[in-house]
């Protein structure tokens, strides 16, 4: 087997061969709808697989699933293919299948493909969510805080929880990292909701895809062809393009540096490539150009398939050394510009008027320029494309099911799992904070209740004391009134007078008796005619009379 893949043969019978050693210098397959791009792509993938080079391709229309099955002599294209093989002198052409693994982001038509939010990164997520620069900056801060605090961002729930955490800490984060506005976080949250409606939640999670499962050979040494079912995915163009860019970025980060190998480690085919570049911000375009430029040294070849060559930015198109240009229609000014652009990118051939030939090519014909072993491009040649050996058209659902169940991947990715990550950790943190606040609130309430009860008790005690004092005052007043009333009674006055009278008489008698005992007589006249002992007797009578009256 030669060191290259036969693409086809020129008008003079010269075979156009894609050199394996230069296949990692990337390529472009372009042409209008219905001009044979898919058949060309299918034949190139077959050639890589037969030489032990694994491939990855996005199947936008479902046609490329036919790579899994050999073509049939009963197919309607058989006669045309057999004639074309004879015309290019390919005597070894025969129908054959290829080892295929089917993948699907939604898990319906192949093994699920998942990655984590952390692996996707803020730049690609910002592209996926169509964020502006300010919102992208806030998203980057959220990633940085999560990384610093050991919070794993695995799925959309984790990212949503992290954004909520950042909103709650906006003042703190603004001081440390720059402005984190709740308005920007709200806009990002709305974009996350839109992603969910597009089915992106199926893409983010675990188990995450291991790149080694893309790079392998079967027991016959043929490279595994990984086919991504992208018919449903095309309904979400940003998700489609961002996923493929992420895949290339992961390959670039994980694969070792090997320079220019004898054959590629993996060939990556990006169908409907214009979706990658439509409305892409400059930062993303720079990222794409960087990956395309540097991934070559990892042994990966990237091939873009698009209808119009001007869909590819110049910074990327300049890296595409192998080119296959099918017919273009020059009906509009843009089409005419595409024709001129395509004509200028080929190495000139005096025998081919590129600008004219591009509009005249038949189905199955193309203008081809490939890198030679020394790295220089061949002069452009009008080429009849080699027919594919596998089935042209999709396989049946039953055939697909059998292929999925019997491939080497098995059920490795079929069941998702959710380990402890940012959402769970932040939920636990919130629960702890709520519990602490509830406990503190309960303590405060208890203290307030005790204080309130103490106030009630004190007020009740004061009221009781006031009532007791009032009752005592009332009792004292009643007693005084009773005493006063008794004192003013006629009977009381008569008794008092009698008592006083009696007391006065007794006092006089006692005084006389004391005087008699002391002085020996009760009355003695003085020299002046006064009674003897009259002064002392008078005093005694006065004192004793007062005592008895009291």
């Amino acid at each position: 087997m030669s060191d290259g893949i036969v693409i086809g043969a020129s008008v003079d019978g010269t075979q156009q061969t894609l050199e394996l050693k230069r296949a990692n210098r990337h390529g472009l397959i372009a042409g209008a709808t219905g001009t044979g791009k898919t058949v060309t792509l299918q034949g190139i993938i077959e050639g890589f697989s037969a030489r032990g080079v694994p491939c990855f391709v996005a199947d936008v229309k479902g046609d490329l699933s036919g790579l899994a099955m050999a073509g049939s002599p009963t197919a309607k294209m058989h006669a045309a293919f057999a004639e074309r093989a004879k015309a290019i002198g390919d005597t070894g052409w025969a129908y054959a299948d290829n080892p295929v693994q089917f993948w699907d982001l939604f898990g319906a038509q192949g093994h699920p493909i998942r990655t984590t939010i952390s692996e996707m990164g803020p730049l690609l997520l910002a592209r996926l969510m169509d964020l502006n620069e300010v919102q992208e900056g806030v998203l980057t801060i959220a990633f940085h805080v999560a990384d610093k605090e050991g919070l794993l961002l695995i799925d959309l729930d984790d990212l949503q929880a992290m954004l909520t955490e950042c909103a709650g800490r906006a003042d703190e984060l603004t001081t440390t990292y720059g402005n984190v506005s709740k308005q920007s976080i709200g806009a990002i949250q709305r974009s996350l909701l839109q992603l969910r409606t597009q089915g992106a939640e199926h893409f983010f999670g675990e188990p995450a895809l291991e790149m080694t499962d893309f790079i392998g050979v079967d027991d016959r040494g043929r490279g595994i062809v990984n086919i991504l079912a992208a018919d449903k995915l095309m309904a979400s163009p940003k998700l489609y393009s961002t996923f493929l860019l992420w895949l290339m970025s992961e390959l670039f980060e994980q694969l070792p540096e090997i320079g220019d190998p004898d054959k590629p480690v993996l060939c990556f085919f990006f169908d409907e490539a214009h979706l990658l570049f439509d409305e892409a911000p400059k930062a993303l375009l720079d990222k794409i150009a960087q990956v395309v430029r540097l991934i070559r040294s990892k042994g990966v070849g990237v091939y873009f398939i698009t209808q119009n060559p001007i869909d590819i930015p110049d910074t990327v198109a300049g890296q595409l050394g192998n080119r296959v240009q099918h017919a273009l229609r020059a009906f509009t000014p843009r089409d005419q510009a595409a024709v001129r652009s395509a004509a200028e990118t080929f190495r000139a051939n005096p025998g081919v008027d590129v600008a004219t030939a591009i509009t005249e090519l038949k189905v199955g014909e193309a203008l081809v320029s490939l890198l030679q072993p020394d790295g220089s491009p061949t002069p452009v040649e009008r080429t009849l494309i080699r027919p594919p050996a596998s089935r042209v058209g999709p396989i049946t659902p039953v055939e697909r099911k059998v292929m999925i169940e019997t491939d080497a991947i098995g059920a490795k990715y079929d069941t998702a799992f959710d380990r402890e990550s940012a959402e769970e950790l932040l939920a636990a943190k919130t629960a702890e904070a709520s519990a602490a606040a509830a406990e503190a609130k309960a303590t405060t309430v208890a203290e307030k209740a005790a204080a309130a009860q103490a106030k009630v008790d004190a007020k009740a005690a004061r009221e009781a004391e006031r009532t007791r004092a009032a009752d005592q005052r009332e009792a004292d007043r009643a007693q005084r009134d009773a005493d006063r009333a008794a004192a003013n009674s006629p009977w009381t006055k008569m008794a008092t007078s009698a008592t006083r009278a009696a007391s006065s008489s007794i006092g006089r008698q006692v005084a006389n008796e004391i005087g008699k005992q002391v002085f020996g007589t009760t009355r003695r006249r003085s020299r002046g005619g006064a009674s003897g002992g009259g002064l002392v007797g008078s005093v005694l009578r006065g004192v004793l009379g007062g005592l008895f009256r009291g």
Side-chain angles (χ1 to χ4, degrees), residues 175-479:
T175 303
T176 307
Y177 301 108
N179 188 35
V180 178
S181 70
K182 294 183 179 180
Q183 291 82 359
S184 295
I185 290 178
I188 299 172
Q189 295 279 36
R190 289 191 294 272
S191 296
L192 284 180
L193 180 61
Q194 292 176 355
L195 280 185
R196 289 183 187 275
T197 62
Q198 296 177 12
E201 59 185 356
H202 298 287
F203 176 45
F204 295 105
E206 289 185 319
L209 177 68
E210 296 179 16
M211 291 299 153
T212 53
D213 288 330
F214 270 4
I215 304 172
V217 297
D218 69 356
D219 54 0
R220 294 165 54 185
R222 297 179 299 172
I224 301 295
V225 180
N226 299 277
I227 300 178
L228 174 70
D231 50 347
K232 182 179 178 181
L233 187 59
M234 288 298 294
S236 306
K238 276 191 168 58
L239 180 58
Y240 170 71
S241 60
T242 304
F243 160 72
L244 293 180
L245 180 57
W246 162 80
L247 188 57
M248 285 197 299
S249 300
E250 286 296 299
L251 289 169
F252 171 72
E253 292 177 3
Q254 295 187 23
L255 294 177
E257 191 84 17
I258 59 175
D260 287 323
D262 293 334
K263 63 181 180 181
V265 173
L266 175 72
C267 279
F268 189 97
F269 295 88
F270 200 141
D271 200 3
E272 299 294 339
H274 65 278
L275 296 176
L276 181 62
F277 307 105
D278 286 349
E279 301 178 1
K282 185 178 183 302
L284 185 61
L285 291 176
D286 292 343
K287 175 70 173 177
I288 297 170
Q290 178 190 39
V291 171
V292 172
R293 183 171 63 253
L294 300 178
I295 203 171
R296 173 197 62 79
S297 61
K298 308 282 186 162
V300 177
V302 180
Y303 290 76
F304 295 93
I305 300 94
T306 187
Q307 294 185 18
N308 203 320
I310 63 175
D311 292 334
I312 311 298
D314 292 342
T315 54
V316 176
Q319 308 295 323
L320 311 181
N322 300 293
R323 293 172 176 263
V324 179
Q325 177 67 62
H326 286 271
L328 289 175
R329 312 304 179 205
F331 300 134
T332 67
R334 187 174 188 274
D335 294 337
Q336 294 168 3
V339 169
R340 291 192 298 271
S341 175
E344 292 170 357
T345 56
F346 285 109
R347 179 180 173 182
N349 184 343
V352 179
D353 183 350
V354 176
T356 302
I358 286 179
T359 61
E360 298 176 345
L361 293 171
K362 301 175 183 179
V363 175
E365 278 189 311
L367 295 173
V368 177
S369 177
L370 306 170
L371 295 178
Q372 301 177 90
D374 63 359
S376 63
T378 61
V380 60
E381 291 284 355
R382 187 166 179 166
T383 302
L384 190 62
I385 300 299
R386 180 181 184 271
S390 56
R391 181 187 299 179
V392 175
I395 62 175
T396 66
V398 174
E399 291 170 332
R400 181 187 291 268
K401 184 174 184 294
V402 171
M403 297 293 297
I404 293 171
E405 292 176 349
T406 58
D407 64 15
I409 298 299
K412 180 177 180 179
Y413 297 104
D414 292 350
T415 303
F417 62 83
D418 186 13
R419 60 172 165 152
E420 186 178 66
S421 52
E423 182 195 17
E424 291 77 14
L425 293 174
L426 290 174
K429 176 182 175 182
T430 301
E432 291 177 1
S434 298
E439 183 178 358
K441 183 177 180 181
T443 302
T444 302
V445 169
E447 291 175 351
K448 288 181 178 179
Q453 186 61 43
K455 289 181 180 179
V456 171
D457 293 343
K459 182 177 180 181
R462 287 195 299 271
E463 291 295 331
E465 178 63 24
R466 289 194 190 99
T467 301
R468 188 197 65 76
D471 292 343
Q472 183 63 43
R473 287 194 298 272
E474 185 64 26
D476 292 344
R477 187 165 44 251
Q479 184 63 42

Side-chain angles (χ1 to χ4, degrees), residues 139-203:
L139 184 64
T140 302
I141 291 173
F143 269 75
H144 180 77
V145 173
D147 183 62
K148 183 177 179 181
E149 299 183 1
L151 300 172
L152 292 177
L153 299 179
I154 294 177
D155 54 23
L156 293 180
D157 291 336
D158 291 326
L159 182 56
Q160 188 168 5
M162 192 65 220
L163 289 169
T164 302
E165 172 76 2
C166 289
R169 298 165 54 186
D171 293 339
E172 169 198 344
L173 298 178
T174 296
T175 303
T176 307
Y177 301 108
N179 188 35
V180 178
S181 70
K182 294 183 179 180
Q183 291 82 359
S184 295
I185 290 178
I188 299 172
Q189 295 279 36
R190 289 191 294 272
S191 296
L192 284 180
L193 180 61
Q194 292 176 355
L195 280 185
R196 289 183 187 275
T197 62
Q198 296 177 12
E201 59 185 356
H202 298 287
F203 176 45

Side-chain angles (χ1 to χ4, degrees), residues 73-146:
T74 61
K76 65 179 182 179
M77 296 291 293
H78 171 70
F81 285 167
E83 183 179 350
R84 192 188 303 178
K86 181 179 179 180
I88 65 177
D90 188 356
T91 57
W93 179 79
Y95 289 121
D97 63 357
N98 302 277
V100 168
Q101 292 177 165
F102 289 103
W103 303 89
D104 184 0
L105 259 65
F106 305 103
Q109 301 183 69
H111 299 293
I113 292 183
R114 303 183 188 89
T115 187
T116 65
I117 292 290
S118 295
E119 289 176 345
M120 176 67 77
L123 176 61
L124 293 184
L125 273 176
R127 153 70 170 171
L128 187 57
M129 293 188 287
D130 200 20
L131 304 182
N132 59 33
E133 290 184 4
V134 174
Q135 294 160 358
E136 181 182 340
V138 173
L139 184 64
T140 302
I141 291 173
F143 269 75
H144 180 77
V145 173

